Amino acid sequence: MSRKLVVRMAELEIDPDQLEIYRLLLTEEIEASVALEPGVLSLNAVSLKDSPQKIRILEVYANQAAYEAHLQTPHFLKYKNRTVGMVKSLTLIDVDPIMMRGKP
């Protein structure tokens, strides 16, 4: 199994009328993913200050297998199914980490 990290940036635009429920569903999905999946190293979601409907998520997975497994989990599938009508656009960008550090 590959040990190479998978790091992605997701750029989303959410229907403003559904933003509050979207944020709740996203929070629930991130909490479950980090708690239940050893291969999900971090998920960090932010919104643009002047455009709260524009969400950015930095995703870090232990490897490609962990990323692919994440896509099949019940909590991720629930999130995808419940938010499908809320997401106006989604762009996934593969990125190479330069330096990533954090404190527990």
Side-chain angles (χ1 to χ4, degrees):
M1 184 183 312
S2 172
R3 296 259 183 221
K4 185 177 180 194
L5 291 179
V6 172
V7 184
R8 302 185 96 178
M9 176 70 66
E11 298 181 338
L12 300 97
E13 183 164 355
I14 307 305
D15 176 356
D17 293 334
Q18 301 182 70
L19 185 57
E20 185 176 336
I21 188 68
Y22 174 83
R23 290 173 67 124
L24 292 171
L25 292 166
L26 177 62
T27 298
E28 179 182 279
E29 194 281 326
I30 287 175
E31 287 178 348
S33 296
V34 173
L36 301 173
E37 298 178 65
V40 175
L41 302 182
S42 68
L43 295 171
N44 297 284
V46 298
S47 63
L48 301 187
K49 191 169 284 287
D50 294 330
S51 300
Q53 76 281 7
K54 294 182 180 180
I55 307 287
R56 303 298 184 257
I57 306 169
L58 180 63
E59 309 173 19
V60 183
Y61 304 92
N63 51 45
Q64 185 65 32
Y67 172 69
E68 291 172 11
H70 168 70
L71 298 178
Q72 302 304 314
T73 61
H75 48 270
F76 180 77
L77 294 172
K78 175 185 172 186
Y79 158 80
K80 286 300 280 187
N81 290 328
R82 293 199 52 203
T83 62
V84 70
M86 301 175 187
V87 178
K88 294 171 63 176
S89 70
L90 167 63
T91 304
L92 298 174
I93 304 165
D94 291 317
V95 298
D96 288 323
I98 297 172
M99 174 57 75
M100 296 171 48
R101 291 288 179 260
K103 292 184 179 184

